[in-house]
Amino acid sequence: MKHASSAAPGLIGVARNVFAALGTTGRVIAGLAAAVLAATPFGAWNAVANDAMALTADTPVDVGPYTVTIEKVVSAKALGDVRALDPEDRLLIVVAQVTNTSDRPANAQQLTDIVPAPVGGGVVDTGGMPVPDSAGPGERPAPDRYNIADAGELDVINPGVTYRVALVWNQAGDARPAEVRVDLAGLTWIEEGFAGLDDEYWLPADEVTHSGMFDVEPPRSEAATGPDA
Amino acid sequence: MLLAPAAIGAATWFVTQVPQDTAVDAPFEIGGAVGETVHLGYADLVVTDVRVAEQIAGDGVAQAGGVFVVVDAVWQASDRTIAVGGAELVDSRERVHAATDRSGCATATTAVPAYRQRISYCFDVPPDALDGAQLRLGRGGDGEEGAFQRRDAVAVVGLGLGLDRVPGEEAGADAAPIEVHGPAPVVRTGTDGQEDA
């Protein structure tokens, strides 16, 4: 009695047989799919941002109801009466001009969705934990926001009004970044929400639309003497 | 038997033809001017003063991004306590501006019967919003497109402002910061309509 030489080809054998049965086009597609699959653990599906548009200083960008112009990034021990939660830490400050270009009032809280914490700046969360550079826009800590003209907080930004604002994060005391990456994340207009329960608002998309490197101005004392002085 | 489907069909057609946001849900706007009493049924509203400045001073000093329009008003509820929110300033270009709570300004209050509730609303608006600006106020909040004021009375008060009130212009706005306060202590109205204190 003759026995079968092998009871089953096994997973690799099946894959080999299927691949052999594919035409040239099929093999190319299968190869690309396998490459993407293999790259998945390394961020192949991350929302960031190779196709994000370039962001440079003093260039207006339209985001949701706003036009946002990033002026500069500053590291400081204090901003007026504002100090870091930990006395050893510093403040990382993004200075920007914002104008509401829509015809409805906008909630200034949205600025914290539009400008995520800069990447590579040593930002720490309110618990003092470092924020990984790989954190997505929605995963980074929200800044405090101040109207530079009066050091007060903004609650609403009305149509046609421009403010120069400071967006402020806690920065690790030993961080000395020469430059950071500043991202802008988009907002999506929801005309009619699910079942009409919540309509007409801007929803954070948590997707980086603009990105650029900015020099970090050091604290004035270090600018005069050097950070290691 | 045939009447029921026909009636349902006719009602469906009618509902689809009527623009609900404006014809069915829209609030009833009652106009007024500064110094006039606007009778809303559930309350009376009087805008007593309108001031314009670049700064307001209450809980700290706030600097306007545009100009501050401070509207002093008095509410008196008719027969039950009401919450008043969603104050809006609407300019001649139909842009809607919300009140701010900066420097201790109030954006909402509660009005009760037999008491006059004073309040100052502060709006930070671009200078070109002054011309023809109207205050829009009602009980409840504004929500989306006035969602919480549907089928209710809303006061629309002309503020009598013009571009000549822009700070730095010839007639000028108030040079010093405007002092503002949150909802002021209530003043009870006596049975003869006179204030007790």
Side-chain angles (χ1 to χ4, degrees):
Chain A
M1 185 175 183
K2 190 174 181 180
H3 296 279
S5 59
S6 63
L11 189 59
I12 295 176
V14 169
R16 185 183 299 122
N17 291 340
V18 169
F19 192 76
L22 293 173
T24 303
T25 303
R27 291 177 182 179
V28 170
I29 293 174
L32 290 174
V36 171
L37 191 63
T40 297
F42 306 102
W45 301 103
N46 282 4
V48 187
N50 289 336
D51 52 353
M53 299 179 68
L55 180 66
T56 57
D58 300 323
T59 302
V61 174
D62 292 331
V63 185
Y66 299 104
T67 295
V68 178
T69 305
I70 304 294
E71 286 187 24
K72 59 183 178 180
V73 180
V74 180
S75 179
K77 291 296 289 182
L79 179 66
D81 293 334
V82 179
R83 301 282 195 283
L85 293 174
D86 185 330
E88 299 298 319
D89 288 344
R90 304 180 183 203
L91 304 174
L92 186 66
I93 305 161
V94 171
V95 178
Q97 285 192 41
V98 295
T99 304
N100 179 354
T101 55
S102 76
D103 59 2
R104 304 280 304 179
N107 187 340
Q109 178 72 30
Q110 290 169 332
L111 296 177
T112 66
D113 298 319
I114 292 174
V115 188
V119 174
V123 170
V124 297
D125 62 21
T126 53
M129 299 299 294
V131 178
D133 289 349
S134 59
E139 301 166 336
R140 304 181 212 168
D144 293 326
R145 59 192 190 281
Y146 299 97
N147 177 20
I148 291 177
D150 58 18
E153 295 191 29
L154 288 173
D155 57 338
V156 65
I157 299 179
N158 280 324
V161 180
T162 298
Y163 297 97
R164 191 163 177 252
V165 300
L167 303 171
V168 182
W169 292 265
N170 290 303
Q171 182 188 36
D174 58 356
R176 298 289 189 276
E179 60 178 10
V180 296
R181 193 185 86 208
V182 176
D183 297 333
L184 297 184
L187 301 174
T188 302
W189 176 248
I190 304 298
E191 179 69 25
E192 185 172 352
F194 176 72
L197 296 175
D198 201 3
D199 301 336
E200 298 180 351
Y201 66 97
W202 289 101
L203 177 71
D206 290 340
E207 183 175 333
V208 174
T209 60
H210 296 75
S211 186
M213 301 303 295
F214 285 71
D215 292 338
V216 179
E217 292 185 13
R220 285 176 184 159
S221 58
E222 293 179 5
T225 60
D228 299 324
Chain B
M1 289 294 290
L2 292 176
L3 284 178
I8 293 173
T12 302
W13 175 85
F14 178 77
V15 168
T16 58
Q17 295 301 307
V18 173
Q20 295 186 25
D21 286 344
T22 55
V24 178
D25 289 344
F28 307 100
E29 295 184 351
I30 300 176
V34 176
E36 295 179 359
T37 299
V38 181
H39 303 285
L40 297 170
Y42 53 81
D44 288 345
L45 169 69
V46 184
V47 171
T48 56
D49 197 8
V50 181
R51 299 170 286 170
V52 180
E54 292 181 320
Q55 293 183 327
I56 53 177
D59 181 12
V61 175
Q63 173 72 43
V67 292
F68 279 117
V69 176
V70 179
V71 179
D72 299 319
V74 177
W75 281 99
Q76 183 166 356
S78 298
D79 57 6
R80 67 184 65 181
T81 300
I82 59 169
V84 182
E88 296 176 340
L89 185 150
V90 183
D91 67 25
S92 60
R93 294 163 56 185
E94 300 293 319
R95 293 180 300 183
V96 177
H97 307 271
T100 179
D101 62 7
R102 294 162 61 195
S103 192
C105 292
T107 58
T109 189
T110 300
V112 297
Y115 286 82
R116 302 176 70 235
Q117 178 72 28
R118 292 175 180 151
I119 186 170
S120 295
Y121 297 103
C122 305
F123 301 88
D124 190 352
V125 301
D128 63 4
L130 296 186
D131 200 18
Q134 294 180 314
L135 178 72
R136 184 182 169 88
L137 273 174
R139 67 177 167 183
D142 56 341
E144 299 102 16
E145 299 290 338
F148 303 123
Q149 296 173 341
R150 288 172 179 161
R151 297 180 290 275
D152 207 347
V154 171
V156 179
V157 179
L159 298 180
L161 297 174
L163 296 178
D164 59 338
R165 294 290 299 274
V166 176
E169 298 295 328
E170 189 169 333
D174 300 340
I178 294 176
E179 290 194 12
V180 295
H181 305 280
V186 294
V187 179
R188 183 166 187 187
T189 305
T191 53
D192 57 356
Q194 301 297 311
E195 293 180 359
D196 290 344

Coordinates of all heavy atoms in Angstrom, one line a residue, chain B residues 52-56 173-179:
Chain B
V52 N -17.8 102.0 25.1 CA -16.8 101.4 24.2 C -15.4 101.9 24.7 O -15.2 103.0 25.0 CB -17.0 101.9 22.7 CG1 -15.9 101.3 21.8 CG2 -18.4 101.5 22.2
A53 N -14.5 100.9 24.8 CA -13.2 101.2 25.2 C -12.2 100.1 24.8 O -12.6 99.0 24.4 CB -13.1 101.4 26.7
E54 N -10.9 100.4 24.8 CA -9.9 99.4 24.5 C -9.6 98.5 25.7 O -9.0 97.4 25.5 CB -8.7 100.1 24.0 CG -8.9 100.8 22.6 CD -7.6 101.4 22.1 OE1 -6.8 102.0 22.9 OE2 -7.3 101.3 20.9
Q55 N -9.9 99.0 26.9 CA -9.6 98.2 28.1 C -10.8 98.2 29.0 O -11.6 99.1 29.0 CB -8.4 98.8 28.9 CG -7.1 98.7 28.1 CD -6.0 99.2 29.0 OE1 -6.1 100.1 29.7 NE2 -4.8 98.6 28.8
I56 N -11.0 97.1 29.7 CA -12.0 97.0 30.8 C -11.3 96.6 32.1 O -10.3 95.9 32.0 CB -13.1 96.0 30.5 CG1 -12.5 94.6 30.1 CG2 -14.0 96.5 29.3 CD1 -13.6 93.6 29.8
A173 N -13.8 106.8 22.0 CA -14.4 106.0 23.0 C -13.9 106.5 24.4 O -13.2 107.4 24.5 CB -14.1 104.5 22.8
D174 N -14.3 105.8 25.4 CA -13.9 106.1 26.7 C -12.4 106.0 26.8 O -11.8 104.9 26.4 CB -14.6 105.2 27.8 CG -16.1 105.4 27.7 OD1 -16.5 106.5 27.2 OD2 -16.8 104.5 28.2
A175 N -11.7 107.0 27.2 CA -10.2 106.9 27.3 C -9.7 106.0 28.3 O -8.8 105.3 28.1 CB -9.7 108.3 27.5
A176 N -10.3 106.0 29.5 CA -9.9 105.2 30.6 C -10.5 103.8 30.5 O -11.6 103.7 29.8 CB -10.3 105.8 31.9
P177 N -9.9 102.8 31.1 CA -10.6 101.5 31.1 C -12.0 101.6 31.7 O -12.2 102.3 32.7 CB -9.6 100.7 32.0 CG -8.3 101.3 31.9 CD -8.6 102.8 31.8
I178 N -12.9 100.9 31.1 CA -14.2 100.8 31.6 C -14.2 99.9 32.8 O -13.7 98.7 32.8 CB -15.2 100.3 30.6 CG1 -15.3 101.2 29.4 CG2 -16.6 100.0 31.2 CD1 -16.2 100.7 28.3
E179 N -14.8 100.3 33.9 CA -14.9 99.4 35.1 C -16.2 98.5 34.9 O -17.3 99.0 34.6 CB -15.0 100.2 36.4 CG -13.7 100.9 36.7 CD -13.7 101.4 38.2 OE1 -14.7 101.0 38.9 OE2 -12.8 102.2 38.5

